Amino acid sequence: MKIEEVKSTVKTQRISSHSHIKGLGLNENGSAIPMASGLVGQEAAREAAGIVVDMIRTKRMAGRAILMAGPPGTGKTAIALAISQELGNKVPFCPMVGSEVFSSEIKKTEVLMENFRRAIGLRLKEVKEVYEGEVTELTPIETESPMGGYGKTVSHVIIGLKTAKGTKQLKLDPSIYESLQKEKVDVGDVIYIEANSGAVKRQGRSDTFATEFDLEAEEYVPLPKGDVHKRKEVIQDVTLHDLDVANARPQGGQDILSMMGQLMKSKKTEITDKLRKEINKIVNKYIDEGIAELVPGVLFIDEIHMLDIETFTYLHRALESPIAPIVIFATNRGRCTVRGTEDVVSPHGIPMDLLNRLLIIRTLPYNRKDMENILKLRAQTEGHNLNSDALQSLAEIGTRATLRYACQLLTPAALTAKVNSRSTITKEDITEVSQLLLDAKSSTKVLEKYKNIYMK
């Protein structure tokens, strides 16, 4: 008789290479804790990033840019991600790679500007008049159809709303009745209706019906307090790119020609500079009136050396813009030729005039102890048990090859241990998978040894 274990239906979370990072891991004085918030070592770089976070919070960072320079696998992307975690969810964080700008659809500079605008948030404060309460009555009033025939149309809808303080009966437009149907509003639901736009939002079922069924799939909400008709301050977070896209869409009518125009129009439309200037004027007006507040986010451009001389020149203007996000570049190159030129050699593949504008944060290779801590942390994140010998063996491989390669061996080693009916990864498992899966240096040696049998 075969006995099978019942698998849990709990949703498993996909683990990425930076799942363990929760922040910069600094104490109250801004000094780096050796191992905290998922980051290990790189104390100087983390402390420098902490100063950057403070500058962003006090809004003293606009128009500046940071370059994170260091060899591959030294935590540049991890620190940039930690900066975004420190700033919180409301601050826009837009990551991109240098090679993204080379698109066949739109201009290189357009891709850069699009990401710049994505990294700039706008917090809009709006006072709205709303009707909020539990639906006690929902009656559509029908009349004869003006088109004739047997059909009837809804002329208006009567809705009763109840709160803890009182009740109110409203006569609403038939277009609002359509919104009520879309939201699947029924008697006993708690809703709110915006007086200005007529937008309807169903918040949930009133908690007075909570014991109606044994099994419930509904979300129950308490009966709203106060009056049915009230003024509410609504805070909305959008990015400048959202505003660009909303205004760039073709606003055609319902006739055949305008509908055909919308169909023929390509999906990826380029947003013009003129449109952006108009949006900036309106945004500045809202900021002056106190309706909106600008939230400069973080634009992280990895592999900055992949950009060419034209895009580097364009970055100068973008950084000097009064509405600009905080830009963090990252590169793992030393002295190399600037892309798009034949003879201009510069540090990190970045022209000297742009390099002079940047604050540079350096990341250094990890030592053996740091590697051990990172591998232990990764094993915990991925849910693997690792004994001390296996950890020592992995750290040795990381020192000889790369830290990334050592991290990649964790899961294959766990599978090998499972095949051998063990729940803990041992040194033997690490040795076995390291012989089966080569690192870059070992692969190069193999190529050198058997170069005659490979095609050239």
Side-chain angles (χ1 to χ4, degrees):
M1 182 178 155
K2 193 181 178 186
I3 299 170
E4 285 187 17
E5 189 183 333
V6 178
K7 288 186 178 176
S8 169
T9 54
V10 177
K11 193 178 176 186
T12 53
Q13 191 69 37
R14 183 170 179 257
I15 295 162
S16 73
S17 54
H18 296 112
S19 291
H20 58 285
I21 289 154
K22 303 290 181 282
L24 283 167
L26 305 174
N27 62 18
E28 297 80 25
N29 306 323
S31 302
I33 302 162
M35 186 177 170
S37 301
L39 287 177
V40 177
Q42 303 293 357
E43 280 91 349
R46 282 157 61 197
E47 284 170 19
I51 293 167
V52 170
V53 168
D54 289 339
M55 287 169 78
I56 295 166
R57 280 182 182 149
T58 53
K59 299 182 181 178
R60 301 278 160 85
M61 190 69 198
R64 298 169 195 253
I66 298 198
L67 174 67
M68 303 202 69
T74 52
K76 298 182 293 296
T77 308
I79 292 170
L81 192 67
I83 288 172
S84 88
Q85 298 274 25
E86 289 282 339
L87 291 168
N89 298 331
K90 295 291 179 187
V91 175
F93 180 75
C94 179
M96 67 171 287
V97 185
S99 53
E100 271 180 49
V101 302
F102 300 101
S103 162
S104 57
E105 290 180 1
I106 48 179
K107 295 199 292 277
K108 293 179 282 190
T109 52
E110 177 62 26
V111 179
L112 270 180
M113 184 47 80
E114 196 177 287
N115 282 292
F116 260 82
R117 307 275 288 186
R118 268 202 185 102
I120 304 160
L122 196 69
R123 190 161 291 157
L124 295 159
K125 293 170 193 167
E126 199 178 349
V127 177
K128 288 184 177 179
E129 282 190 36
V130 295
Y131 293 92
E132 187 177 33
E134 181 196 318
V135 179
T136 54
E137 180 194 356
L138 187 61
T139 316
I141 307 298
E142 293 180 333
T143 57
E144 294 294 329
S145 173
M147 305 299 288
Y150 298 108
K152 287 191 173 185
T153 57
V154 175
S155 63
H156 61 272
V157 60
I158 303 291
I159 191 167
L161 292 176
K162 178 177 83 173
T163 63
K165 206 170 180 181
T167 58
K168 212 178 193 81
Q169 199 175 43
L170 307 172
K171 184 181 175 183
L172 304 175
D173 190 77
S175 62
I176 298 175
Y177 181 58
E178 286 174 25
S179 301
L180 290 164
Q181 284 180 311
K182 277 180 190 170
E183 285 282 317
K184 295 184 173 66
V185 173
D186 204 354
V187 173
D189 292 345
V190 175
I191 64 164
Y192 79 82
I193 305 165
E194 286 178 18
N196 305 339
S197 62
V200 177
K201 183 80 177 80
R202 182 182 182 275
Q203 291 174 305
R205 193 102 175 120
S206 176
D207 60 3
T208 50
F209 296 89
T211 54
E212 197 176 0
F213 303 104
D214 293 334
L215 284 173
E216 295 149 355
E218 272 287 357
E219 190 180 328
Y220 291 95
V221 292
L223 189 72
K225 295 178 176 70
D227 294 311
V228 172
H229 182 230
K230 60 188 83 171
R231 292 167 73 86
K232 254 189 176 181
E233 191 181 74
V234 180
I235 295 171
Q236 205 175 354
D237 288 297
V238 291
T239 65
L240 292 187
H241 177 66
D242 295 336
L243 296 176
D244 294 343
V245 171
N247 287 285
R249 282 186 189 139
Q251 304 288 324
Q254 291 299 310
D255 60 306
I256 297 294
L257 280 171
S258 61
M259 284 173 80
M260 282 297 289
Q262 285 179 45
L263 288 170
M264 302 294 277
K265 210 165 181 72
S266 62
K267 294 279 180 267
K268 191 93 176 173
T269 53
E270 211 169 292
I271 298 154
T272 61
D273 209 32
K274 188 181 176 185
L275 175 74
R276 287 198 174 112
K277 280 178 183 169
E278 289 300 317
I279 289 167
N280 286 357
K281 274 184 197 172
I282 296 160
V283 166
N284 287 328
K285 185 185 161 195
Y286 283 162
I287 292 165
D288 293 341
E289 288 172 5
I291 299 166
E293 181 194 351
L294 203 70
V295 184
V298 177
L299 172 64
F300 175 61
I301 307 177
D302 205 355
E303 310 289 341
I304 184 72
H305 52 265
M306 289 301 292
L307 298 183
D308 61 9
I309 195 74
E310 291 169 31
T311 44
F312 281 129
T313 313
Y314 186 76
L315 276 174
H316 282 280
R317 197 194 81 170
L319 288 171
E320 284 176 348
S321 166
I323 300 177
I326 296 93
V327 185
I328 301 174
F329 301 133
T331 181
N332 53 26
R333 297 292 163 99
R335 285 185 68 82
C336 59
T337 308
V338 176
R339 193 170 171 165
T341 67
E342 289 177 7
D343 56 350
V344 180
V345 177
S346 186
H348 313 299
I350 301 168
M352 284 305 294
D353 54 346
L354 180 61
L355 207 56
N356 287 336
R357 289 171 175 267
L358 309 178
L359 297 169
I360 301 169
I361 297 175
R362 186 175 64 148
T363 57
L364 298 166
Y366 291 106
N367 58 36
R368 174 78 179 260
K369 193 173 183 302
D370 286 345
M371 279 192 186
E372 278 184 30
N373 288 330
I374 292 165
L375 288 162
K376 199 189 289 180
L377 201 65
R378 283 304 301 171
Q380 284 171 5
T381 307
E382 293 179 24
H384 304 314
N385 293 324
L386 202 67
N387 70 18
S388 57
D389 288 346
L391 187 62
Q392 293 285 331
S393 179
L394 267 180
E396 195 181 312
I397 289 167
T399 313
R400 192 183 68 241
T402 61
L403 176 62
R404 279 183 182 154
Y405 172 69
C407 287
Q408 284 166 355
L409 289 180
L410 277 167
T411 306
L415 292 170
T416 309
K418 193 178 177 183
V419 167
N420 295 323
S421 305
R422 285 195 304 270
S423 59
T424 306
I425 301 167
T426 62
K427 189 180 178 179
E428 289 74 40
D429 301 320
I430 301 293
T431 309
E432 189 178 334
V433 291
S434 64
Q435 286 169 354
L436 293 170
L437 306 165
L438 300 179
D439 63 280
K441 287 176 185 174
S442 305
S443 183
T444 309
K445 283 177 187 173
V446 171
L447 282 175
E448 191 60 40
K449 189 178 177 182
Y450 299 105
K451 61 182 176 185
N452 295 329
I453 62 171
Y454 282 96
M455 288 182 72
K456 289 181 182 175

